[in-house]
Amino acid sequence: MSWTFASDGTVRALGRCMDVAGGSTGHGAKVRLADRNGDPAQQFRLIDALDLVNRQAGKCVDAKEGKTADGTGRA
């Protein structure tokens, strides 16, 4: 799977958008693929340190337990 960064701030794959589940702004919120809906939970930006940050929560996307293997973070 490959991700694309759209001009509207969404990060997309497989015809869907990266989305913070439930619009959560808390630590440990799950990130998932969802249909595009224009919600701020689907807005991300890359900052200087190459961290991917959700605009609504102001928090970085992080791989579960710092893992790097394919499928990391799957429930």
Side-chain angles (χ1 to χ4, degrees):
M1 172 171 52
S2 97
W3 296 95
T4 58
F5 292 81
S7 62
D8 63 359
T10 58
V11 182
R12 301 178 188 190
L14 305 172
R16 301 179 91 193
C17 293
M18 184 179 286
D19 177 269
V20 179
S24 175
T25 58
H27 293 295
K30 293 190 181 219
V31 176
R32 62 187 181 175
L33 280 175
D35 292 330
R36 185 170 168 257
N37 61 21
D39 191 89
Q42 295 182 344
Q43 301 290 308
F44 294 84
R45 62 187 170 90
L46 283 173
I47 60 172
D48 292 336
L50 298 179
D51 288 321
L52 185 61
V53 178
N54 177 256
R55 292 180 186 266
Q56 175 176 292
K59 294 186 171 57
C60 295
V61 174
D62 192 16
K64 185 176 182 177
E65 300 171 0
K67 295 180 180 177
T68 59
D70 288 346
T72 294
R74 289 185 184 166

